[in-house]
Amino acid sequence: FFQKTLSAVKSWFTLFGWSKGQNPISVPHSLRRDVCIVQLTVAPEKNFQRKVDKDKGFYEMLLHLNGQPIPGIAASQSLPPDPVQRMFQLHWQHSELLSFLRGQGAYLSHVSPEFLLAPEDYEIWTEVNTGMRVVSMRGSGKLSGSPIFILEHKTFETISKRSWTDVLLQIYKVFVLPRISSRTVPDTSSLESLHSIPGIKSEPLSSNVYSRYERTILIWLNKQYEKNRTIVWKDSQRGGIPPMRWIVNFDQDLLDGLVLAAQIAAYCPYLIPTHFIKMYTNPATQEQLLHNSLILVKSLHTINLDIDIKV
């Protein structure tokens, strides 16, 4: 699941994260390189100026998605030549980044600034903190207070990858999802059949799982599915018109492909006789679920909306 999530994150940010075209990224390596680039051969009296593509840096991406820079952090940072001072500046920079994102509504309490450092800077960070209370991940002792965990290289890389992935996911959540407006969702009162389905509240505090913008998408999915299910599958070859349903999540309720097919059919009705009419409308086996998924993927290929989706 994590690998699939990581692949989706990399694909989206590669294609849409930057203002001037695609920029292939790797997590966490290219992100750490852009914000944590290290220069060891610098004259003592000079600072090191990051040399990255003007429009391809991490903070340039944030500026593109957010519309404004992070307070106190410029897009082009000068790093001290001293390794310890450089680590302190990068650690502060990551702290400011996390604080800024949390202030925008991101859930990143599990991500520490040191997890975003490059491995060599993380080693310096652990060395600097050896005078404090330390707990090794390999140890079994439990100490009071706030321990500092020293991670082996492999463990650190795993946590760093997960931390950067979560940072990107939360950046998408707080900067991209809010572009969705409830004004784009048609009035559902025109469909009498929707009155028998419990409504989804879009108020900010009505859910501790989905944001207001995610619930707006769920409202749209319910509206489009109920409106189109009788149109798309009125001549179904495999089970007739699918039953009414209440769509409340983005995993189980979309698993059989019918909800997504109804959305696509609303904009590309010519796919109904060539693709969607062949879907199982009451799939009961894994094979039938796979069958529906393959048809859905082929329909995306047909309209060139497949991006990175493979059959």
Side-chain angles (χ1 to χ4, degrees), residues 65-135:
L65 296 177
N66 181 36
Q68 57 184 356
I70 296 178
I73 300 180
S76 183
Q77 296 288 312
S78 295
L79 301 180
D82 179 72
V84 175
Q85 294 301 317
R86 183 187 64 244
M87 179 276 295
F88 276 128
Q89 178 165 330
L90 290 170
H91 192 276
W92 168 83
Q93 190 170 302
H94 295 325
S95 298
E96 291 298 304
L97 168 65
L98 294 174
S99 296
F100 175 75
L101 293 176
R102 292 184 190 118
Q104 302 298 311
Y107 297 143
L108 290 169
S109 59
H110 61 293
V111 177
S112 298
E114 55 269 20
F115 297 156
L116 304 180
L117 293 170
E120 51 268 37
D121 289 316
Y122 175 75
E123 290 180 8
I124 297 174
W125 180 84
T126 58
E127 292 174 2
V128 168
N129 287 278
T130 52
M132 303 173 67
R133 181 166 293 181
V134 176
V135 175

Side-chain angles (χ1 to χ4, degrees), residues 158-221:
T158 299
I159 293 181
S160 183
K161 178 186 289 188
R162 181 59 183 265
S163 297
W164 275 108
T165 301
D166 289 345
V167 166
L168 292 179
L169 285 169
Q170 293 300 309
I171 286 174
Y172 182 89
K173 171 188 171 182
V174 299
F175 294 146
V176 180
L177 277 182
R179 298 174 188 174
I180 298 172
S181 171
S182 59
R183 290 176 298 179
T184 64
V185 180
D187 181 15
T188 58
S189 62
S190 59
L191 289 177
E192 295 183 1
S193 57
L194 280 181
H195 292 316
S196 60
I197 301 178
I200 296 176
K201 296 181 179 180
S202 59
E203 288 77 9
L205 300 180
S206 62
S207 172
N208 63 350
V209 177
Y210 292 129
S211 67
R212 175 178 57 183
Y213 312 106
E214 291 168 311
R215 294 195 300 278
T216 298
I217 296 176
L218 288 174
I219 293 172
W220 173 69
L221 289 174

Side-chain angles (χ1 to χ4, degrees), residues 20-311:
K20 295 185 179 179
Q22 301 181 14
N23 180 36
I25 68 169
S26 61
V27 180
H29 303 95
S30 69
L31 300 176
R32 293 190 311 210
R33 182 190 65 227
D34 284 350
V35 298
C36 313
I37 192 167
V38 176
Q39 178 83 358
L40 299 178
T41 57
V42 183
E45 69 276 10
K46 295 181 179 179
N47 284 346
F48 170 60
Q49 185 74 20
R50 288 192 308 128
K51 292 182 179 180
V52 296
D53 189 322
K54 182 178 182 298
D55 299 308
K56 300 298 185 180
F58 177 80
Y59 289 103
E60 284 80 3
M61 178 196 73
L62 278 181
L63 178 61
H64 168 61
L65 296 177
N66 181 36
Q68 57 184 356
I70 296 178
I73 300 180
S76 183
Q77 296 288 312
S78 295
L79 301 180
D82 179 72
V84 175
Q85 294 301 317
R86 183 187 64 244
M87 179 276 295
F88 276 128
Q89 178 165 330
L90 290 170
H91 192 276
W92 168 83
Q93 190 170 302
H94 295 325
S95 298
E96 291 298 304
L97 168 65
L98 294 174
S99 296
F100 175 75
L101 293 176
R102 292 184 190 118
Q104 302 298 311
Y107 297 143
L108 290 169
S109 59
H110 61 293
V111 177
S112 298
E114 55 269 20
F115 297 156
L116 304 180
L117 293 170
E120 51 268 37
D121 289 316
Y122 175 75
E123 290 180 8
I124 297 174
W125 180 84
T126 58
E127 292 174 2
V128 168
N129 287 278
T130 52
M132 303 173 67
R133 181 166 293 181
V134 176
V135 175
S136 173
M137 288 297 287
R138 292 172 293 178
S140 57
K142 184 177 181 180
L143 301 177
S144 60
S146 300
I148 299 170
F149 294 97
I150 297 181
L151 309 177
E152 295 179 340
H153 178 76
K154 184 177 181 180
T155 304
F156 170 76
E157 287 287 35
T158 299
I159 293 181
S160 183
K161 178 186 289 188
R162 181 59 183 265
S163 297
W164 275 108
T165 301
D166 289 345
V167 166
L168 292 179
L169 285 169
Q170 293 300 309
I171 286 174
Y172 182 89
K173 171 188 171 182
V174 299
F175 294 146
V176 180
L177 277 182
R179 298 174 188 174
I180 298 172
S181 171
S182 59
R183 290 176 298 179
T184 64
V185 180
D187 181 15
T188 58
S189 62
S190 59
L191 289 177
E192 295 183 1
S193 57
L194 280 181
H195 292 316
S196 60
I197 301 178
I200 296 176
K201 296 181 179 180
S202 59
E203 288 77 9
L205 300 180
S206 62
S207 172
N208 63 350
V209 177
Y210 292 129
S211 67
R212 175 178 57 183
Y213 312 106
E214 291 168 311
R215 294 195 300 278
T216 298
I217 296 176
L218 288 174
I219 293 172
W220 173 69
L221 289 174
N222 278 282
K223 166 40 165 115
Q224 292 289 348
Y225 175 75
E226 184 56 31
K227 176 182 178 181
N228 294 309
R229 67 184 179 89
T230 56
I231 299 173
V232 178
W233 291 285
K234 62 184 178 68
D235 298 318
S236 171
Q237 302 172 356
R238 301 177 184 270
I241 296 175
M244 180 186 297
R245 67 170 68 178
W246 188 28
I247 304 159
V248 296
N249 57 61
F250 294 101
D251 43 19
Q252 291 297 319
D253 290 342
L254 306 185
L255 192 61
D256 59 12
L258 295 175
V259 175
L260 294 178
Q263 318 310 313
I264 298 173
Y267 301 94
C268 306
Y270 54 85
L271 293 174
I272 296 175
T274 59
H275 292 76
F276 302 141
I277 199 174
K278 303 174 185 177
M279 299 176 74
Y280 288 98
T281 55
N282 288 280
T285 66
Q286 291 295 323
E287 289 77 11
Q288 292 177 349
L289 291 173
L290 176 61
H291 172 86
N292 283 2
S293 298
L294 291 175
I295 289 179
L296 187 63
V297 170
K298 289 179 180 178
S299 71
L300 294 174
H301 278 290
T302 300
I303 59 177
N304 296 318
L305 198 63
D306 51 320
I307 305 178
D308 240 357
I309 300 175
K310 299 178 176 62
V311 177

